[in-house]
Amino acid sequence: MSENKGYSPLQARLQRERKDKTLFQRAMDFGWTYAENIEERVVYPKSEALQGLINFEEHMPQEGRDATSILETLERYGSHATVASNGGRYFGFVTGASIPAATAASQMASFWDQNAAMQVMSPVVAKLEQVCEEWLKELFDLPGDTVAGLVSGTSVANLCAIAAARYRILQRQGWDVRGKGVFGAPSIRVVCGEQVHASVIKALLILGFGLDALEKVPVDGEGRMLSNKLPVLDKNTLLILQAGNVNSGSFDPFDKIIPQAREAGAWVHIDGAFGLWVKACASLSHLCRGVELADSWAVDGHKTLNTPYDCGIVLCADKDALQQAMQSNGAYLMQGDERDGMIFTPEMSRRSRAIEIWASLKSLGKQGLDEMIATMHLRTSQLADALKHTKGIKQLNFVHFNQLMLACETDELTLKTLVNLQESGTCWAGSSSWFGKKVIRISVCAWPTSQSDIEVSANAIQKALLQANK
Ligand SMILES: *Cc1c(COP(=O)(O)O)cnc(C)c1O
């Protein structure tokens, strides 16, 4: 009894596994080998690999299995059904890879298993959140009082910011939304571009804004809000702008719009999931000129910054509004003088994303960050150049940052070409539609993408089109 400290049989087994260095080395070896060979993998799993997933289908087991066999099962059937988005030729959605130092730091953080809710629950995570908040404010040139909440992605960051806006706009009209709730509250106008991101719509729906009254501003051929089509704004308005159109990569004209919105007393929110990062890149920061005059910003870590998944950040210049929107009180919640991350986020318990943001920023430095972002732009331009003279392929957008849309002569050919490309395993792009036309949508958002990745991918696209024409 004293020998095994009175552990139950299960505890004894788990203790053994916790102390089993070879178990963790095994996990590292599997993971490391995966990363080491990622450029040789097919970018999207072949159908045999997908069929292998059937091996996960079983009844919930009665008895537990040993850790080593669990890793082996995951390696055997799981690793082959991954997409190689951590490599250089995955161009789907807007998907970042992972900075090695952050991947490694994330392993350490797994052992620490910290809860990021409050300072008292993890002093180190609270400190790193505070440091990251300062660094992000500096990189994006945001007002000194700006606070940051670390969440799962821009979807939740948008939600937090819009909740803060809702609190403040109603409070200015004498309506305390914390006390009186949203039902029966004075109405708030919501103004956004015609190509507002789906996650903003979702956030508005969750927060009780109906979509019928949404005021959508017409956009130009690149998806940018037309500043001369902006309705008259007032202090009951929430204006939502976009840094990085999810299809074209374009940016709303912030310096034309935000000053007049401020003048009118409107709240300005920026959905900057991947695009806000250009602010930290000398050659591209002009795209975000004036964005710092907004009230709130949502941005991802897992896209352009290439932190591991998942990681998003809400930034809000009105600390009180964000806190009023997110904070609840419980008797057992002892709030320290130092930073308690949960007062800026919907969740209490959270994983320690600050460790990964901190490790990524520290690994890159301002210089590396600038270079990584500029390289995403360069690679996208290189791909556009490589395909410029390909007969039968048209480029539908200007390369603002890291997005490129391609179309063939008909929608049918575009989709056929895309399927061929996806099945090639050489690179992977998704589809979208652009002003009614089907497109092959390419996003270069991963640090490993090299010039040769671009050449190989351009060839694969040309070959896919040839096959489609057969
Ligand atoms: C990706 C994206 C989002 C949603 O971000 P998640 O991190 O997936 O939640 C919102 N807006 C834009 C413009 C995006 O590109």
Side-chain angles (χ1 to χ4, degrees):
M1 199 67 177
S2 63
E3 174 129 288
N4 73 2
K5 298 194 182 167
Y7 289 139
S8 76
L10 175 66
Q11 286 177 313
R13 188 191 109 204
L14 299 182
Q15 281 292 358
R16 259 196 325 277
E17 291 182 344
R18 173 145 80 180
K19 291 176 180 163
D20 180 1
K21 195 166 180 183
T22 58
L23 169 69
F24 293 99
Q25 281 170 337
R26 197 87 189 265
M28 284 301 173
D29 278 349
F30 282 144
W32 183 85
T33 305
Y34 179 93
E36 163 80 353
N37 299 312
I38 195 158
E39 308 301 352
E40 277 79 54
R41 296 181 83 87
V42 289
V43 175
Y44 196 86
K46 295 285 180 194
S47 59
E48 306 90 81
L50 295 177
Q51 277 155 19
L53 290 174
I54 199 157
N55 289 288
F56 288 110
E57 287 182 23
E58 59 173 336
H59 291 292
M60 172 65 207
Q62 185 59 35
E63 285 177 16
R65 290 295 301 270
D66 67 287
T68 302
S69 78
I70 289 170
L71 292 186
E72 284 165 354
T73 302
L74 206 51
E75 169 65 14
R76 187 168 316 128
Y77 304 116
S79 72
H80 301 289
T82 56
V83 295
S85 54
N86 207 1
R89 293 187 310 280
Y90 181 83
F91 306 123
F93 306 92
V94 184
T95 308
S98 176
I99 298 284
T103 308
S106 167
Q107 308 306 311
M108 279 176 70
S110 292
F111 286 96
W112 293 354
D113 194 28
Q114 297 294 282
N115 187 336
M118 298 163 74
Q119 199 265 348
V120 70
M121 297 170 87
S122 180
V124 60
V125 174
K127 176 53 75 184
L128 290 176
E129 283 200 0
Q130 184 202 334
V131 169
C132 289
E133 181 180 85
E134 286 306 316
W135 288 1
L136 292 168
K137 281 187 327 196
E138 185 182 338
L139 289 169
F140 299 141
D141 190 25
L142 303 183
D145 304 339
T146 303
V147 288
L150 272 47
V151 292
S152 60
T154 293
S155 300
V156 175
N158 280 332
L159 180 84
C160 297
I162 295 171
R166 184 182 69 177
Y167 168 82
R168 179 60 73 214
I169 293 171
L170 290 175
Q171 182 264 337
R172 284 185 195 139
Q173 296 183 66
W175 184 275
D176 171 20
V177 71
R178 287 184 64 98
K180 295 185 184 161
V182 289
F183 301 105
S187 68
I188 296 176
R189 291 172 59 204
V190 181
V191 178
C192 60
E194 240 160 29
Q195 296 202 352
V196 62
H197 192 269
S199 65
V200 170
I201 299 294
K202 191 188 250 195
L204 289 169
L205 285 171
I206 294 172
L207 291 168
F209 292 89
L211 301 184
D212 290 352
L214 206 57
E215 297 176 51
K216 286 195 177 176
V217 183
V219 294
D220 68 10
E222 297 288 333
R224 290 172 293 214
M225 196 182 271
L226 289 166
S227 56
N228 60 354
K229 292 283 163 68
L230 204 63
V232 176
L233 305 173
D234 57 35
K235 63 181 189 349
N236 296 335
T237 307
L238 163 59
L239 173 66
I240 300 171
L241 303 176
Q242 199 164 252
N245 178 295
V246 80
N247 286 315
S248 72
S250 71
F251 293 72
D252 283 333
F254 307 115
D255 52 350
K256 287 204 185 104
I257 294 178
I258 300 180
Q260 48 173 308
R262 288 198 72 96
E263 185 84 2
W267 179 292
V268 183
H269 172 64
I270 309 292
D271 174 5
F274 63 96
L276 189 61
W277 287 102
V278 303
K279 206 61 177 131
C281 177
S283 59
L284 295 168
S285 65
H286 62 275
L287 295 165
C288 265
R289 192 177 296 134
V291 84
E292 65 282 359
L293 296 174
D295 297 278
S296 56
W297 305 262
V299 66
D300 270 321
H302 52 226
K303 290 180 180 171
T304 313
L305 179 59
N306 280 236
T307 68
Y309 277 90
D310 53 19
C311 179
I313 305 139
V314 57
L315 293 146
C316 187
D318 185 340
K319 175 182 176 180
D320 181 53
L322 184 60
Q323 198 168 335
Q324 294 289 348
M326 293 295 137
Q327 192 174 1
S328 63
N329 293 306
Y332 66 96
L333 300 176
M334 14 184 303
Q335 299 232 333
D337 296 335
E338 307 205 44
R339 185 192 159 89
D340 287 327
M342 65 174 253
I343 64 177
F344 305 125
T345 63
E347 311 94 329
M348 289 192 179
S349 300
R350 279 178 306 132
R351 50 181 222 96
S352 47
R353 299 185 178 97
I355 292 173
E356 295 155 4
I357 300 177
W358 174 81
S360 301
L361 292 174
K362 187 110 172 131
S363 165
L364 294 166
K366 280 186 189 171
Q367 222 175 0
L369 185 60
D370 183 293
E371 181 183 326
M372 182 173 75
I373 296 166
T375 304
M376 289 171 187
H377 176 237
L378 174 68
R379 297 288 176 249
T380 314
S381 306
Q382 286 171 338
L383 185 60
D385 285 346
L387 295 170
K388 195 152 55 191
H389 300 299
T390 303
K391 209 168 151 279
I393 291 186
K394 256 181 82 173
Q395 298 173 15
L396 298 194
N397 66 310
F398 177 79
V399 177
H400 303 274
F401 174 29
N402 64 338
Q403 306 287 112
L404 178 64
M405 287 182 289
L406 305 170
C408 306
E409 270 149 19
T410 62
D411 279 356
E412 198 196 341
L413 262 181
T414 302
L415 292 179
K416 263 193 186 167
T417 303
L418 181 62
V419 169
N420 293 341
L421 181 70
Q422 291 175 340
E423 284 177 355
S424 76
T426 307
C427 66
W428 200 93
S431 70
S432 187
S433 58
W434 186 246
F435 293 103
K437 229 176 151 69
K438 293 270 177 259
V439 296
I440 298 170
R441 180 179 167 288
I442 288 160
S443 174
V444 182
C445 202
W447 68 263
T449 304
S450 66
Q451 191 169 344
S452 105
D453 284 326
I454 293 298
E455 285 158 15
V456 167
S457 300
N459 287 338
I461 293 168
Q462 287 162 336
K463 199 164 144 204
L465 173 65
L466 272 180
Q467 281 173 346
N469 269 321
K470 266 197 195 135

